[in-house]
Amino acid sequence: MDIAIIGAGPAGLATALRLHQQGFNPRIYETVEELQPLGVGIDVKVYGTKELIELGVYEDFRDISVDARTSIFYNHHGQEIYAELCGVHMGYVHEQRFVHRGYLQMLLLDKVVERLGADAVVQGARFVRYEQDDAGVDVHLRHTDGREEVVRADVLIAADGIKSVARRQMHPTQAEPHYSGITMYRGTTLMEPYRDGHTILHIGTPQIATMIVYPIADDFEGTGKTLVNWVVERERDQTVEDWNQTGSVDEILPLFDTVKLPFLDVQEMLRNNREVYLFPLIRHDPLDSWTDGRVVLIGDAAHAMYPRGGNGACQAIVDGGVVARKLAEFDDVPSALKAFEAERIDQVNGMVMAHRGEGYEVIRRMVGDRTDCLPFDDVEDVLPLTEADEIFSRYHAMVGQPRPGFAAGEPTGFRTWEVTEETVEAVQEAAGRRRASAGPQAGVAASH
């Protein structure tokens, strides 16, 4: 079967590897003339790690990523709201890990070239449009030298991202996005590790501005320091929808004047940035179909979601495994693609809509509303631990990784200042019991 993939991002590359596992030899067409390790951080959830294990890239992935142990939430004054463990430390079978998006992309690219051959990725080939008949698809390309080419394929997999040309052709009346009013400032800083070097921080109040911080590379380029990823959200006039649009921290530094953390000076971290990118939060309405005959959308092309909760890239990688499996199971291409769509679309569209509501990040807004964004005396009077636990457990279940131990009343969320050696041991023992008894599919329902 001749399979053409549009886009050599993580979605397209992972899909090529999955197809190769099923005995296919697809070819990827990428607009960029030479791929570079661009971008900032990705929070790879447990089901994403499972996918990378099944792709056979796990050991290399571990070498370029950081294990996630703890996730802690603070208000705009640096007061702790809630904390939870991550990945295997919570009791999932697989790790949650932080990684630089560009490094993950280069890893997947190297594996595609290694397994499928150097000609498996054609760079400098921009997708223009498709035409199809009962026997196949004509993929129209324009190369950087101006040359036009038409590639004939049995199936076209469009992983051409948030500005998907294929999506616009397939859904011309549904492809127009809408600005949410919120812009993200995404950057990295090379610095000494904070806390234990394995913690993701959620800082601020949505009514003012919010920040997420996590490490994405240890001993970065031999410096002995950690490369830290940070993301700031604030209301702002619209900018262009381009992941590589550069910005400045001058607009956001004053927004975090009140944040006081004993282990991190967030303003110093922002000032010492290596790079800053602007990206508007754009609402892409869920599509009622991802397929058109022999053409299928995957990843951001199919279900662009707010980059909250670390599920966008992970769900794109899951897409690749499912579409490869369906193409191997069905003799008829349109039927295979429809089966892929039927398995994925309802759940993922639900995630798209849920992320517009902030997901579990809503607890910071709730605390801001209940305190008028002022410091509190006792967080238990503002957001009881049991209420926060319920919010987090609903979210984790919704994205396909049900929270281990919650239904049984075992330790899940906690306050870091209440943690003693005895409570750490209790949580770790409970996590170990859950991993031992859960089996290989625990917490990864989204993969299947």
Side-chain angles (χ1 to χ4, degrees), residues 288-323:
D288 55 12
S289 174
W290 299 342
T291 63
D292 175 17
R294 294 173 173 268
V295 183
V296 63
L297 308 175
I298 67 168
D300 281 349
H303 45 75
M305 62 183 73
Y306 285 3
R308 292 172 171 164
N311 287 287
C314 292
Q315 288 297 320
I317 293 172
V318 172
D319 282 348
V322 178
V323 76

Side-chain angles (χ1 to χ4, degrees), residues 228-244:
V228 171
N229 176 83
W230 49 263
V231 184
V232 171
E233 287 189 14
R234 63 163 296 191
E235 292 186 358
R236 186 186 189 279
D237 293 339
Q238 184 172 359
T239 61
V240 298
E241 191 179 20
D242 181 356
W243 286 114
N244 298 316

